[in-house]
Amino acid sequence: MIMIYQTNSPGETQKIAKELAQKYKDGGIFALSGPLGAGKTTFIQGFAQGLGITERLLSPTFVIMRQHEIPKNPEGKLYHIDLYRLDKITEIDSLGLSEIFSNPKNIIFIEWSEKMETLLPKQTIKIHLEITSEETRQILIED
Ligand code: ADP
Ligand code: MG
């Protein structure tokens, strides 16, 4: 199913993410694409709030991957991956993604997923964000 939303504030973007979190609270792989400042990290913060994660999610730009416990899903973890700094696709090997993907209880977000398009599992949910003006974003969710 493809859904398209228009949002007028970061809070509205997070509200859409929180609603999606109710549908995928038991696991899912999410590929986020769109330019710098489109709201990828903002969206993931909203989703994490929807899962009851109170820890603040920072942009993992300098570490590529961060993981968070999910209070209501102890068998899974939330992985927040940001491929912005990734230069070579071979660097992906060092992240151990196949093991992370293999646990269906994990909730995995990949910012700049364009960089590993061909390596994404086929059940990956695609989320594309576009900047339509300073305060507005178009969000396309394909699940
Ligand atoms: P990305 O991770 O895609 O680079 P961020 O989520 O880090 O983007 O930043 C998005 C920026 O855009 C934030 O500064 C946020 O306040 C701003 N912004 C303005 N309007 C919106 C909106 N409608 N939705 C999401 N972010 C918005
Ligand atoms: Mg970001």
Side-chain angles (χ1 to χ4, degrees):
M1 191 164 73
I2 297 180
M3 301 291 288
I4 299 174
Y5 302 91
Q6 310 283 342
T7 71
N8 298 306
S9 67
E12 278 186 32
T13 293
Q14 291 186 327
K15 185 164 179 277
I16 290 163
K18 276 184 202 168
E19 285 165 8
L20 196 68
Q22 300 321 306
K23 185 168 174 187
Y24 291 104
K25 58 184 182 328
D26 298 321
I29 303 170
F30 301 88
L32 288 99
S33 59
L36 199 67
K40 300 181 291 298
T41 302
T42 300
F43 187 94
I44 298 164
Q45 286 167 341
F47 196 106
Q49 283 171 24
L51 294 173
I53 295 176
T54 51
E55 233 178 326
R56 218 175 107 74
L57 266 80
L58 305 163
S59 181
T61 299
F62 296 101
V63 295
I64 297 197
M65 183 161 78
R66 286 179 190 273
Q67 61 185 64
H68 303 268
E69 302 290 332
I70 309 168
K72 282 175 239 161
N73 174 2
E75 289 166 57
K77 283 198 171 73
L78 186 148
Y79 289 88
H80 183 185
I81 298 162
D82 189 333
L83 300 179
Y84 184 61
R85 276 187 337 116
L86 191 93
D87 300 321
K88 296 187 250 52
I89 195 143
T90 51
E91 288 177 40
I92 287 178
D93 295 345
S94 64
L95 296 175
L97 287 183
S98 48
E99 199 187 328
I100 295 168
F101 287 152
S102 70
N103 180 354
K105 300 268 180 169
N106 285 335
I107 296 173
I108 303 154
F109 285 97
I110 307 165
E111 295 193 44
W112 296 96
S113 60
E114 299 96 312
K115 295 195 180 192
M116 61 171 290
E117 194 75 55
T118 57
L119 298 174
L120 293 170
K122 64 175 189 311
Q123 72 273 26
T124 301
I125 295 147
K126 303 258 172 76
I127 301 173
H128 183 73
L129 295 98
E130 277 298 330
I131 303 175
T132 44
S133 77
E134 201 171 324
E135 294 292 323
T136 62
R137 301 291 183 269
Q138 186 180 76
I139 305 172
L140 188 148
I141 302 176
E142 190 178 354
D143 69 353

